């Protein structure tokens, strides 16, 4: 058997129409209806026709969680299961659900509150740097207050996060092929998220995390664990901590993974993994037609 990891993308991968080809599947439609009862708004309506809302954190994150988890459930119904799971930022919640750490509805309640808190934490800035000098970047960040490496995505692509002044200062000092300001509501995965993270931690304390049935690679500590308490502690740090995706990509072959399936819209994660661990077999499940038999 080919050892397989399932990975789940986060905010930025959403696209209009995602998941809408699942509506003819009764179990999927049931999940969309359950989501509407929990959220108070319709994922279907927003994914079908409201691109502006779909780009807003408070709607983006729950919509991705719902769509990605439905695809994962359909794959499991067809007899497929992963040997390892991981998710990029928001995607980690889907990974934890698939690993049996919490029930689907609990995960959606957590994602809903996370999205609301992150949406309200305005004032910061994020930017992507592509094809840069890593040593220079690390040196400049160390010398610049109020900016951190938020997403270490691959050897050639990172995201920095912090105050607008500090992010722009790093962008101007570090030589990069491209430096792109991102349209986010705040400085995600940075210390500027600390007030939101503290409030979210109070919510997490009341949620029991079960031992995982599948090892999970976490964003802030990219080493496999099935310990529910460890996975909760790692999730606690996620809102202010760095997404160490480059290291997750390296951990996949180190844990004998041969194949990776990215479940959700787009192909961002398989693209990043290919740059870091090029020998892995990479597949995508972005729509119903790509579901394995």
């Amino acid at each position: 058997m080919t050892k397989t990891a399932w990975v789940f993308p986060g905010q930025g991968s959403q696209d209009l129409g995602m998941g809408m080809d699942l509506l003819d599947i009764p179990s999927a439609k049931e999940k969309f209806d359950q989501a509407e009862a929990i959220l108070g708004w319709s994922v279907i309506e927003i994914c079908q026709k409201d691109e502006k809302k779909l780009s807003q954190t408070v709607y983006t994150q729950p919509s991705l969680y719902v769509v990605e988890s439905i695809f994962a459930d359909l794959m499991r119904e067809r007899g497929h299961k992963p040997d390892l799971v991981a998710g990029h930022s928001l995607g980690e919640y889907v990974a934890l659900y698939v690993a049996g750490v919490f029930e689907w509805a609990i995960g959606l309640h957590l994602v809903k509150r996370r999205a609301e808190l992150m949406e309200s934490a305005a004032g910061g800035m994020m930017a992507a740097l592509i094809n840069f000098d890593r040593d220079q970047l690390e040196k400049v960040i160390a010398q610049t207050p109020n900016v951190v490496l938020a997403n270490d995505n691959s050897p050639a692509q990172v995201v920095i996060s912090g105050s607008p002044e500090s992010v722009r200062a790093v962008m101007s000092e570090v030589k990069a092929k491209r430096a792109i300001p991102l349209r986010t509501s705040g400085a995600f995965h940075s210390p500027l998220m600390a007030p939101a993270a503290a409030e979210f931690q109070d919510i997490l304390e009341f949620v029991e995390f079960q031992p995982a049935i599948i090892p999970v690679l976490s964003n802030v500590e990219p080493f496999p664990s099935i310990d529910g308490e460890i996975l909760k502690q790692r999730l606690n740090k996620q809102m202010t901590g760095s997404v160490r995706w480059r290291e997750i990509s390296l951990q996949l072959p180190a844990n004998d993974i041969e194949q990776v399936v990215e479940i959700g819209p787009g192909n961002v994660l398989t693209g990043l993994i290919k740059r870091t661990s090029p020998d892995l077999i990479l597949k995508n499940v972005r729509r119903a037609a790509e579901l394995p038999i």
Side-chain angles (χ1 to χ4, degrees):
M1 285 289 283
T2 303
K3 284 197 75 173
T4 300
W6 289 3
V7 297
F8 302 92
Q11 193 165 346
S13 61
Q14 70 276 5
D15 58 33
L16 201 63
M18 67 178 188
M20 294 304 95
D21 54 351
L22 300 172
L23 294 177
D24 293 333
I25 302 170
S27 61
K29 183 62 169 64
E30 188 179 326
K31 272 289 200 316
F32 281 118
D33 292 342
Q34 289 175 22
E36 186 170 356
I38 291 169
L39 297 169
W41 48 268
S42 170
V43 172
I44 294 172
E45 284 185 17
I46 285 174
C47 288
Q48 275 182 334
K49 57 188 178 186
D50 200 332
E51 193 165 12
K52 185 178 179 182
K53 275 190 174 179
L54 186 58
S55 69
Q56 295 172 12
T57 297
V58 72
Y59 297 107
T60 310
Q61 294 187 7
S63 296
L64 284 169
Y65 176 87
V66 170
V67 170
E68 291 174 18
S69 62
I70 290 173
F71 273 119
D73 284 344
L74 291 170
M75 289 182 68
R76 293 191 290 186
E77 284 175 21
R78 297 174 183 212
H80 300 274
K81 65 175 187 175
D83 299 287
L84 195 67
V85 291
H88 192 286
S89 192
L90 174 278
E92 187 169 320
Y93 287 77
V94 189
L96 290 167
Y97 160 66
V98 170
V101 173
F102 44 64
E103 293 179 356
W104 183 83
I106 290 172
L108 184 54
H109 278 289
L110 288 174
V111 167
K112 177 179 185 287
R113 193 70 191 110
R114 176 188 193 260
E116 291 166 351
L117 290 167
M118 291 178 75
E119 178 84 21
S120 66
M125 179 180 175
M126 302 180 78
L129 301 182
I130 299 167
N131 291 343
F132 55 92
D133 183 319
R134 186 171 287 266
D135 290 338
Q136 185 194 26
L137 174 66
E138 290 174 355
K139 183 178 178 182
V140 171
I141 286 177
Q143 295 171 346
T144 309
N146 301 320
V147 64
V148 295
L149 182 63
N151 298 355
D152 186 3
N153 285 330
S154 77
Q157 202 259 7
V158 298
V159 174
I160 57 173
S161 181
S163 70
E165 300 79 18
S166 297
V167 169
R168 290 193 188 101
V170 173
M171 290 171 72
S172 66
E173 288 185 50
V174 175
K175 292 178 181 176
K177 185 176 181 181
R178 295 179 69 194
I180 309 159
L182 302 181
R183 287 184 288 179
T184 58
S185 57
F188 300 163
H189 300 291
S190 83
L192 292 182
M193 299 300 294
E199 195 170 338
F200 190 67
Q201 185 171 342
D202 291 341
I203 297 163
L204 266 183
E205 281 180 14
F206 291 98
V207 179
E208 185 178 355
F209 277 40
Q210 302 296 327
I213 57 173
I214 302 158
V216 182
L217 286 168
S218 300
N219 285 197
V220 298
E221 292 178 18
F223 308 102
S225 180
I226 58 169
D227 186 300
E229 203 50 47
I230 287 174
L231 293 170
K232 182 193 273 195
Q233 290 168 9
R234 290 175 173 180
L235 200 63
N236 255 332
K237 301 172 186 174
Q238 198 218 59
M239 208 180 284
T240 55
S242 177
V243 176
R244 295 162 63 181
W245 194 259
R246 177 178 60 87
E247 292 170 81
I248 286 176
S249 300
L250 291 169
Q251 278 292 312
L252 296 170
N255 283 273
D256 301 319
I257 294 297
E258 302 162 86
Q259 174 177 265
V260 179
V261 182
E262 180 177 0
I263 300 173
N267 54 4
V268 170
L269 298 186
T270 44
L272 294 174
I273 291 166
K274 185 176 183 178
R275 295 185 187 101
T276 308
S277 297
D279 295 330
L280 294 170
I281 302 164
L282 302 173
K283 296 183 177 180
N284 292 84
V285 175
R286 294 161 288 202
R287 55 188 71 92
E290 292 178 331
L291 283 164
I293 298 169

